[in-house]
Amino acid sequence: MGADEAVSTARRLLKLREAEQPRLKRIADYMCGNHASVYVPKGARAEYRWLIERAKVKILPLVVTVVSQNMYVDGYRPKGSDDNAAPWAVWQANRLDARQHGVHRAALTYGASYVVVMPGKPVPVITPFSPRRLTALYADPVNDEWPIFAIEDRLENTAKGQRRVVRVYDDQARYTLTGKPDGTELQLDGPDAVMRHDLGVCPVVRFVNTDDLDGDGVLGEVEPLIDAQDQLNMTTFNLLMAQQYAAFRQRWVTGMAPPLDNNGNPVEPFRSRVDGLFVAEDADTKFGEFGQTDLKGYLDSREATIRHISTLSQVPPYHLLGQMVNLSAEALAAARDGLDRKIDERESLFGEGWEQALRLAGLAAGDKKAWADTAAQVVWRDTSARSLAQTVDALGKLVTMLGVPPQELWERVPGVTQTDVGRWKKAAEQGDALGRLNGIIEKQMAPAVAAPAGPVPDVAA
C-alpha cells in the first residue's frame, strides 16, 4: 500500500473498530469493579451513597481466574515425537511461558484475543494483544484462518506529550501511522513506517472463547454474568442497609413533647446511637424498642445468587463461596466435572490458536518445514484435582497391567514440567548406557575369570 492508501485504510478500520468498543469497555469496567449503580432515590443522603460504593462484590474476576489458572501450555510436539519442535525456541525467547496467561485471560474475558507474529532478530517477535487494542477484519469471520487486515490502536507518551499510534497489518507489511490523540492528522511516521514481512498472510492469530458458526460474535465468560452480578450487588446493598438501619434495635418514646428549634419546628428529642442513653424528667414518659431485622434472608439470597453464577459459569460453588467441608476425592472430582469439561473445550480452542501462531513463527524464522507441519500439537499441563499418590498409583497400573513404557507417562505426573521430563530422560539414557558398558566389561572379563590358574590335574591319577 502507498501512503494515501494506508491512511484511508486506517481510517476505515478505525471506524469499524469503534462499533465494538462500548461493549468491550463495559466488560472491562465490570472486571475492574466499576459496576452499574443500584437505584439511588432523588435527594439521597451521603450515608446512602457511602453504602452504595461498598455494596459491590467483585466475583466476575474470580470466574475468569479459576479457568485461566488451569490452562498452561507446556510444549509443542511434532507428530510421533517426544521432543519439542523448532518453533518452541521462539516461544521461550518471547517469554510466553508467562505471557500466555494474558492471552488466555483476555479471550476468556472478552471472547477473543490476538497475537501478532513478526520477523525479528535473532528470533521472530510474538506480541499478545487484547481486543481493546487490536481488531482483525476477516472476509469470513467464521471459516477464514487468516484476516485480511488488522489494526492496532494505542496512545503513546512522548517528550512532547501524547500521540496516537495506529498500525495496520496486511499480508505483506506493517504500516505505522501517528497523529494527534483524537486520531486526526494520521500519517506514515518516517522512513521506517513500513515494515515488510512478506509472509503471504496477515500475521495476526485470533483466539476465541467459543466457536461461533453463526457469525454473531463470540462471547466471553463475563458478559453473560453481568445481570447476575448486578443482582448480587443489589442484594448486598439491601443487606448493608438492613445492617445500618434495621439490625440495630430502634427505640421509641411516648409521653414527651418534642423540643422545638429556633423556628418553632419540632425536632428529634434523642439521637439514637449505640453508646447513647435516653433520659426523661417526666415520670409518665415511656420508652421501648422495636425488634431488629433478621439478616438471614439477605445472606441466603446472596448465596443463592452466587450459586446461580456458579451454575452459569460451570465454576464449582466452593471456589466462589469458600465452602468445602470433608469432600472426598470422588466428591471433589464430581464437583469439578463441569469445570474440567469447560477447560477441555477451551484448551481445544486456544490450542489451535497457539499451533497456528507457532507455525507462523516457523515461517517468520525461515523454517518452511515448521510452517508446513500441520500435525504438530501443543501440550497442556495436567492441572486436574487429583492427589499425587492416586495419580502415581494409576500410572503404575498402566505400566504393569498394560505394558505402557514408564517414560511415556512421566509428563502426566502433576506438577512435572517438560524440563523435568527432559532431565529424567537424559538421566535414564545415561543410566542405560552405563548399564550396557558394565555388561560389556563383565562379558570380556568372564573368560579370564573362568580360566584355570594352572594345568588341569589328572583326575584318574
Side-chain angles (χ1 to χ4, degrees), residues 5 8 23 32 42 72 74 93 120 220 259-260 283 297 317 360 368 419-422 437:
E5 186 180 359
S8 63
R23 167 182 164 269
C32 295
K42 186 177 181 180
Y72 189 92
D74 215 11
L260 303 177
L360 185 58
K368 297 296 183 65
T419 302
D420 295 331
V421 173
L437 178 60

Side-chain angles (χ1 to χ4, degrees), residues 57 61 101 176 279 461:
V57 182
H101 301 298
T176 302
V279 179

Side-chain angles (χ1 to χ4, degrees), residues 172-285:
Q172 297 298 326
R174 182 186 71 192
Y175 308 86
T176 302
L177 302 94
T178 59
K180 292 185 177 180
D182 60 1
T184 59
E185 300 183 11
L186 285 177
Q187 59 183 349
L188 288 175
D189 185 23
D192 298 329
V194 179
M195 177 181 176
R196 297 193 64 84
H197 55 75
D198 296 322
L199 295 175
V201 296
C202 184
V204 175
V205 178
R206 178 179 57 176
F207 293 76
V208 293
N209 185 58
T210 56
D211 195 9
D212 172 39
L213 297 182
D214 294 324
D216 297 329
V218 291
L219 284 176
E221 301 298 316
V222 175
E223 193 171 11
L225 301 176
I226 286 179
D227 290 339
Q229 174 70 78
D230 289 341
Q231 293 174 21
L232 181 60
N233 291 346
M234 186 66 191
T235 304
T236 302
F237 172 73
N238 291 335
L239 171 65
L240 294 179
M241 288 286 287
Q243 287 180 184
Q244 183 75 2
Y245 297 108
F248 174 69
R249 293 174 182 259
Q250 298 293 324
R251 281 117 179 176
W252 52 264
V253 58
T254 60
M256 175 185 288
L260 303 177
D261 60 13
N262 295 332
N263 297 323
N265 299 318
V267 297
E268 291 184 65
F270 304 104
R271 182 65 176 172
S272 180
R273 62 185 188 273
V274 175
D275 59 347
L277 181 67
F278 293 176
V279 179
E281 297 179 357
D282 192 343
D284 295 330
T285 302

